[in-house]
Amino acid sequence: MTRLRFALLNAAHDGANTRRNFRREIDADLVEFDAVAGDLPDHTEFDGVVVTGSRSSVYWDEAWIPALVDYVAEAAEAGCPVLGVCYGHQVLAEALGGRVAGMDGFEIGYNEIRQTRDDPLFEGIDESFTAFTTHGDEVVELPPSATLLAENDRGVHAFRDGHCWGVQFHPEYDAETARDVTDGKRDQIGDARVDAVLESITPEAYDAACEAKALFENFTAYAERLASDEAEPAAADD
């Protein structure tokens, strides 16, 4: 089979770390779009769509945000597999009829997350696993047809709706990104908390969090199976 082709909708305002991380973790040809600049595909003919994190909130009054939400809804309606990460998870929830709101506080650092049910996205990942989180918004209402897949005491951390998945945590982060993002939160959460989180970004913590990276391979394998299944009837007609 030919190599998979995914649309990478980069919602980061300074997208270099984001680009590096997703290109390292996803074994597919990534066609990148700068979502913040309003750059979105004009079709949904991809094997998958991946929506990245962002420092924005989905409820902000910025023109690029509803356009991104609408495109994700269109891709989902077309049956394209979608993976939303952190902000992308929230965009996907809004696109499919869920609701996002600001949290009481801010979750940041390496945290434990619990799976609530089995799903192919989490194959090979322990029922309780470690991942880096950094968010002040959360999905407060799942889309009507979505299934909760993972959570912790701070709320929803993964859901599935058809061929679409959202994960609130950041499986793509390397330790450098975790440190950069944390250091950038000083005005938001204060020096003391930032310094404490920075101390917790150890090689051991990062190694533990690497388990969650398997979801990228699982998503790609799912997209490959779906593309193969869709190609078989066409081959039979020849």
Side-chain angles (χ1 to χ4, degrees):
M1 182 176 174
T2 57
R3 189 169 165 83
L4 295 177
R5 187 167 175 265
F6 288 173
L8 178 64
L9 309 185
N10 194 339
H13 293 258
D14 180 6
N17 278 347
T18 300
R19 180 181 305 110
R20 180 188 73 247
N21 289 332
F22 280 96
R23 288 191 176 278
R24 181 186 60 244
E25 301 298 339
I26 297 177
D27 185 17
D29 288 335
L30 299 182
V31 185
E32 187 176 345
F33 297 86
D34 184 352
V36 180
D39 177 30
L40 293 170
D42 58 5
H43 62 85
T44 60
E45 298 301 311
F46 297 99
D47 297 306
V49 171
V50 178
V51 191
T52 76
S54 177
R55 66 171 180 258
S56 295
S57 295
V58 294
Y59 46 79
W60 286 1
D61 184 18
E62 296 182 3
W64 67 273
I65 295 174
L68 175 60
V69 172
D70 287 348
Y71 178 80
V72 170
E74 182 184 346
E77 178 67 24
C80 186
V82 178
L83 175 64
V85 176
C86 195
Y87 177 75
H89 154 90
Q90 297 163 13
V91 166
L92 179 62
E94 288 277 350
L96 299 179
R99 189 167 69 86
V100 173
M103 295 169 62
D104 180 16
F106 197 92
E107 184 180 30
I108 186 168
Y110 287 111
N111 288 291
E112 288 297 307
I113 297 166
R114 301 176 301 276
Q115 293 186 54
T116 58
R117 63 183 297 150
D118 291 337
D119 187 86
L121 189 72
F122 287 94
E123 185 176 347
I125 300 173
D126 288 344
E127 183 178 343
S128 179
F129 62 95
T130 299
F132 196 87
T133 67
T134 171
H135 61 114
D137 294 329
E138 63 179 333
V139 175
V140 294
E141 290 179 16
L142 287 172
S145 56
T147 301
L148 178 69
L149 298 181
E151 63 183 358
N152 67 7
D153 57 0
R154 300 307 304 270
V156 174
H157 267 280
F159 70 88
R160 179 180 183 175
D161 194 334
H163 300 311
C164 303
W165 288 269
V167 296
Q168 180 61 71
F169 53 94
H170 280 280
E172 82 282 8
Y173 271 16
D174 52 21
E176 176 188 348
T177 304
R179 285 189 289 266
D180 286 350
V181 169
T182 301
D183 200 50
K185 299 295 182 188
R186 292 186 182 277
D187 289 345
Q188 193 167 1
I189 63 175
D191 288 338
R193 190 171 178 200
V194 165
D195 291 342
V197 173
L198 287 173
E199 286 184 13
S200 73
I201 302 173
T202 63
E204 294 77 17
Y206 174 69
D207 286 346
C210 283
E211 178 189 18
K213 293 180 182 295
L215 70 80
F216 290 113
E217 184 177 345
N218 294 337
F219 177 73
T220 302
Y222 181 90
E224 189 167 22
R225 288 194 299 272
L226 190 65
S228 179
D229 290 346
E230 290 174 351
E232 283 178 4
D237 291 340
D238 290 345

